[in-house]
Amino acid sequence: MNRTALNYQMKSIRRDKLCILTFLLPILVGLALNLLSDLNFSAAAESAFGILKNDLSAETVSWLRQYGSVTEYDTLEQLEAAVIEPSTQVIGILSDASGSMSGTSEIQAGDSGILSGGSSIPSDGSGIPSSGSGIRAFRSGDETTRIAASADLLPALYADRGLMSQYKIEMFPSPADGEMMKHLLIVITMVTAMFMGCTFNAMSIISEKEDGILYINEILPMTKAQYALQKIMVGFLGGTISTVLTALICIRLRAAQLLPLLLLIVLSAFIAALTGLFIAKFSESLMVGIVYIKLVMILFLAPPILFYLLFPAGGVLHTLSYLLPSSATFYGLMKLLNGSGGLGKEVAVLAVHCVVWFLLYVCMSLRRCGSRAARP
């Protein structure tokens, strides 16, 4: 590489806050994910129940705690306020023997939007007695579908709880809470780190166009091929370093997985750096370049997530998603985190993408040089 041209590029990096932010942001997010590694993401899906103090029996409260958190309120007005609060999804629970609500003989649908809840019977249909009184559930009406369905079914479930003793219940172990969500966040962070090379190359070349540095590069003892290779290498190294640092922070892998991960990072970072050259070639101004970068970044991140969540592995649509190089990267990283197979397919797909896109860029550059040489 030409040292003088490389010095110009390093100065461009120091001035470009977007490139620095793109390099450091995935590392900072990786640190945050590592610090919050014990965060229970399933807590957000847990049901929340509000009850009156000394209204329900200890058995009933214990039964409710099996399905969510329980909060006691001193007065009925406080309970109503908690249920109506838009920022919460609290289900109000009252016993059948608790009397009227807000001065009425039953739970009414008033201005507050509190809906009537079902009442239960002291014994189930099979004749098995259910100790304690029944319960009534009420809600505000703005809950999610899952919370609304839970509130409507809760009194009947409580009434039939005695039937549980007639059946053998076997609990199957499930993966760690929020494991899939954590893996998704880690993969998104690493793909963003790989994208650093695209951002740097695009912003660097566009800035050189606007600042006139491009004319200095033309008089340097450096060919077009050397210039393109130098740009690819700088962006490639930046993306690789950022991704490797993020991976060291977020992922704990076995020794046998290190080489596949490194191949995945190297190939993906090369494609990202090459994408930056394409963006710079088609961008006439800095603002246009920024728009293109954001569009390409969305294209890199959003489709693989949708493909992974919606399309079954081995299906036709899942296979077609490999036409997008970031899909192979996304699937490969998820396989590494889940420990579900090798990465031969993903590495092969990325290698093909590298060759195809590099040859396409070379053909476009040669065609452009040929058209310039043909001008009188």
Side-chain angles (χ1 to χ4, degrees), residues 246-282:
T246 305
L248 291 175
I249 294 171
C250 297
I251 305 178
R252 300 294 180 267
L253 297 175
R254 300 186 302 270
Q257 296 175 311
L258 294 179
L259 181 59
L261 176 61
L262 184 60
L263 288 175
L264 206 67
I265 292 175
V266 168
L267 294 174
S268 301
F270 179 81
I271 293 175
L274 191 59
T275 303
L277 297 188
F278 279 103
I279 293 176
K281 186 178 289 292
F282 293 106

Side-chain angles (χ1 to χ4, degrees), residues 39-65:
L39 182 64
N40 187 353
F41 289 94
S42 65
E46 186 181 49
S47 298
F49 304 113
I51 64 174
L52 279 178
K53 192 173 183 179
N54 299 324
D55 179 40
L56 300 176
S57 64
E59 178 200 358
T60 304
V61 175
S62 177
W63 182 83
L64 288 173
R65 293 188 190 278

Side-chain angles (χ1 to χ4, degrees), residues 149-213:
S150 300
D152 295 340
L153 291 173
L154 200 63
L157 292 175
Y158 181 77
D160 295 334
R161 69 192 186 282
L163 294 173
M164 303 286 287
S165 60
Q166 298 182 357
Y167 300 94
K168 178 183 178 182
I169 301 176
E170 184 176 355
M171 303 295 292
F172 293 95
S174 61
D177 293 337
E179 195 70 18
M180 181 179 178
M181 180 65 71
K182 294 175 186 177
H183 289 175
L184 281 175
L185 291 175
I186 291 173
V187 172
I188 291 172
T189 302
M190 292 187 62
V191 174
T192 304
M194 296 173 188
F195 197 78
M196 182 267 170
C198 173
T199 302
F200 167 73
N201 284 348
M203 298 298 293
S204 175
I205 297 176
I206 296 172
S207 298
E208 289 178 359
K209 288 181 181 179
E210 294 192 341
D211 297 340
I213 300 177

